[in-house]
Every structure is written in C-alpha cells, then in structure tokens.
Amino acid sequence: MGGGRRMDAGHKRDLEEKVRSGERLAHEDGVALHESDDLAWLGGLAHEVRTRRHGDAGYFTVSRGLTLTGGAEEAVRHAAGLAAEGVRELRITAGPDLPWERHPEALRALGSALPHLALKAFTAADVQRFERASALSASDVLDALVDAGLESFTGGTGGAGRTAAGETSWEDFSRIHRLAHAKGLKTPCTLLQGRGEEPAHGVEHLLRLRDLQDETGGFRVFAPLRPAEGGSVTGAEVLRTFAVSRLLLDNVPHIAVCRATHGERAAMLALQHGADEVDLSFTGFDASGTADDTGAAPTREDLLDLIRDAGFRPVERDGRYEVVQVYEGADPGRRDAPQPMRV
C-alpha cells in the first residue's frame, strides 16, 4: 500500500481535529492518510495517539516458537528447555502431517507440565483444516482446544481480501475468530504487506477488523507483517501502515511490530509510528530441536536495548498481558548515537 500525494493544510487540520477529539475515522480518511506524502506528520499523529494510550511504555514478552512434529513428550521436553531460559509464552505451530487429535493432546501435556507458560497456538486456517480433517464443527474443534489449554491463536495472514494458498477467506477468518472470541479467547489479527494492493484495500481490511472488534472485543493486538518472499514493501510503506493502523484501529489495544520480519531498525522506528509492542517472532525451534533460519533468538537484554534506543521504557508482560516488570527508561548516554524519538 503506497503513498505519496500531497495533502493540503486544511485537510490535515481536519484529520488532526478528528483524531484529537476522538472522532472515529472513516474509510476516506484512512485512504487519505495512506496516500499522504508527509510521513513525519502522519507518524507524529499516530505517535500522539499511541502515547495517549500507553505513555512511554514499550511492551514485550520473551516468547519462542514450537512446531508440533512428533509426540507430546517430545514437545514437553523441548518446551521445558525454553522455559528454563526465561520464556513466558509458547507460539505453537500445527504439525503439517500430524493427525488432528495429536494437537489437543500436545496442548494438554504442555499445559500440565508447564502451567506458567501461556499457550498460543494455531491460526484460523489451522482450525479450518482441523474442521475438515476431524469432521467436527469449528465450534467443537475450538472447544477441544480450549479444554486442552489453548489461550490464543498465534496470528496468521488470512482474511485480507485476496488470499494465498493456505490462507483463509475473510468469511472463514471472521467466522472462526468470532467463535473463538465467544469462547473467551483473545486473539491477534494481522495484515500482510507487500502484495501491491491499493491503499483502499488495506484500509477496507482494517475497517473490517474494527467492525468485528466492535462486535466481539476479542482482538488484543494487531500486527502488520512483511512477506517472507514473493512481495516487496519499502521502509516508508511499512511505517505508513503502522501509523494508519494505529489511527484507524481505535478499539484494538496494542499494535505490535515483529522484530523477526521487519528487522531491528524498522522495529525501533515502528515504535515511533504508532506501535507500542515488540514481538519477537512467530518462529523458533520445532519439537525435534531444529533451529529455524533466523539465527540466534533475541534475548531479554536485546529487547531492552531496542526499546530504550527507540526512546521508550521497556515493560515486560507475560503471555496473558499482565505486567511482569517495568524497567528503567531510555538512557541517552548509554550509546554514542541513541535513536531519536519523535515527539
């Protein structure tokens, strides 16, 4: 979703007044913001909203991924090793060749062995696959997973109009998330960037999410994602998406930037353009102990440095979004060239 049109001063003032008065932005407002060539103004407006909601907090949690590839005992063994390293949240990926019934079995075993870890697992597309494989309804699939300890989905990239293989349509995405929210699950929602879509398409997706959130209140966090391959997006487009998302999604508490997909520098800048949380990764180690291709996983100290360098105070949460610890804020003298924060 690109940008680059000059917005006259009167239009800017009108949008500023809407944002500052708490008036909900409309579709045409979102498109105008996306098309604005003044990224500094747009980022500043989003930062104002972000600061009003979260102050100088930059949230994070220590999470790791776990792909279910074998038995429950194997998953527990590797998860226990991650917990010993201070991990608070497991992001569990469905095993592509694993029978449906093995997934709730693994969740139950993980929850029993490691009750202090939050279990975030699967996507709407996975639930749809389980629905087909088990001959159960999506509601029954979710009941089985919740009973086994599921607390949230991991995310996923479905629901955004045009879909790629393995993704869900908006109809299935909204159906499954609506069911999940009715059962008490708090889930993330996402937008996959870099598909060459017009700004209006991205804005439409954000407003669909906003409408569903009005209905259910079940989305806890929104995260724009970059494609691993097959798409391209500039740094300015990334930051524009974060800013517009913060301004449009007035009913979603948190906007997260994924450090793994966006990189450290972009994550720091995203915190200055509307994001309030740094998400580590949707990847990590599979249940056979094989490391992914992103290299060594960031440590807690890495995240503290990133958030402070962006000008914020690190706030560590657990997997259930309860604050664990509030750290000292940015120290401008800690590095020779600390990153400036837009005020």
Side-chain angles (χ1 to χ4, degrees), residues 82-101:
L82 296 175
E85 298 172 6
V87 170
R88 299 185 184 278
E89 177 181 277
L90 280 182
R91 304 285 184 88
I92 301 167
T93 302
D97 301 316
L98 207 62
W100 139 251
E101 59 273 9

Side-chain angles (χ1 to χ4, degrees), residues 7-146:
M7 187 186 298
D8 65 61
H11 197 178
K12 283 185 177 179
R13 283 195 300 272
D14 289 343
L15 288 171
E16 289 171 358
E17 289 176 4
K18 274 191 171 184
V19 169
R20 288 168 182 158
S21 68
E23 183 178 347
R24 176 163 275 190
L25 298 180
H27 184 275
E28 59 269 23
D29 298 325
V31 173
L33 290 167
H34 248 304
E35 293 182 339
S36 170
D37 66 348
D38 193 343
L39 183 57
W41 168 78
L42 177 61
L45 196 59
H47 178 72
E48 185 177 322
V49 172
R50 174 250 195 269
T51 302
R52 190 160 65 228
R53 295 183 70 127
H54 299 290
D56 67 347
Y59 297 98
F60 75 96
T61 192
V62 181
S63 62
R64 292 290 184 270
L66 187 73
T67 300
L68 300 179
T69 58
E73 292 182 3
E74 192 176 19
V76 168
R77 184 172 66 254
H78 288 290
L82 296 175
E85 298 172 6
V87 170
R88 299 185 184 278
E89 177 181 277
L90 280 182
R91 304 285 184 88
I92 301 167
T93 302
D97 301 316
L98 207 62
W100 139 251
E101 59 273 9
R102 301 286 288 279
H103 293 85
E105 287 174 8
L107 282 183
R108 194 178 306 279
L110 287 164
S112 177
L114 303 162
H116 60 289
L117 288 185
L119 302 182
K120 298 190 174 182
F122 318 135
T123 66
D126 290 324
V127 172
Q128 193 174 10
R129 178 164 65 87
F130 297 154
E131 187 178 23
R132 293 168 179 160
S134 66
L136 298 172
S137 68
S139 180
D140 288 340
V141 166
L142 287 168
D143 283 341
L145 294 174
V146 170

Side-chain angles (χ1 to χ4, degrees), residues 81-304:
L82 296 175
E85 298 172 6
V87 170
R88 299 185 184 278
E89 177 181 277
L90 280 182
R91 304 285 184 88
I92 301 167
T93 302
D97 301 316
L98 207 62
W100 139 251
E101 59 273 9
R102 301 286 288 279
H103 293 85
E105 287 174 8
L107 282 183
R108 194 178 306 279
L110 287 164
S112 177
L114 303 162
H116 60 289
L117 288 185
L119 302 182
K120 298 190 174 182
F122 318 135
T123 66
D126 290 324
V127 172
Q128 193 174 10
R129 178 164 65 87
F130 297 154
E131 187 178 23
R132 293 168 179 160
S134 66
L136 298 172
S137 68
S139 180
D140 288 340
V141 166
L142 287 168
D143 283 341
L145 294 174
V146 170
D147 184 64
L150 179 68
E151 298 185 41
S152 176
F153 293 155
T154 56
T157 57
R162 293 188 296 164
T163 57
E167 295 181 4
T168 50
S169 67
W170 171 257
E171 289 73 20
D172 284 315
F173 174 92
S174 58
R175 172 178 66 92
I176 290 168
H177 279 264
R178 186 178 284 111
L179 284 169
H181 297 168
K183 296 177 188 298
L185 295 179
K186 297 292 186 181
T187 66
C189 51
T190 62
L191 171 69
L192 185 62
Q193 301 173 272
R195 290 186 172 174
E197 295 167 326
E198 293 298 318
H201 296 149
V203 169
E204 181 181 358
H205 177 62
L206 292 172
L207 295 185
R208 281 176 166 180
L209 292 173
R210 190 174 75 181
D211 289 345
L212 185 55
Q213 178 74 341
D214 279 344
E215 178 187 341
T216 69
F219 290 126
R220 180 172 271 155
V221 60
F222 171 81
L225 301 176
R226 297 182 77 157
E229 56 185 23
S232 62
V233 61
T234 68
E237 289 168 344
V238 168
L239 297 179
R240 185 176 289 110
T241 297
F242 275 96
V244 173
S245 300
R246 180 65 286 168
L247 294 170
L248 286 180
L249 293 177
D250 52 39
N251 55 2
V252 176
H254 298 281
I255 304 289
V257 55
C258 182
R259 181 190 182 277
T261 59
H262 289 289
E264 183 171 340
R265 173 66 176 169
M268 292 169 63
L269 291 171
L271 288 173
Q272 301 168 8
H273 287 74
D276 62 275
E277 177 176 340
V278 180
D279 191 294
L280 272 176
S281 175
F282 287 95
T283 59
F285 295 86
D286 67 24
S288 65
T290 304
D292 65 17
D293 60 3
T294 60
T299 66
R300 182 178 280 100
E301 288 301 319
D302 291 332
L303 291 173
L304 294 175

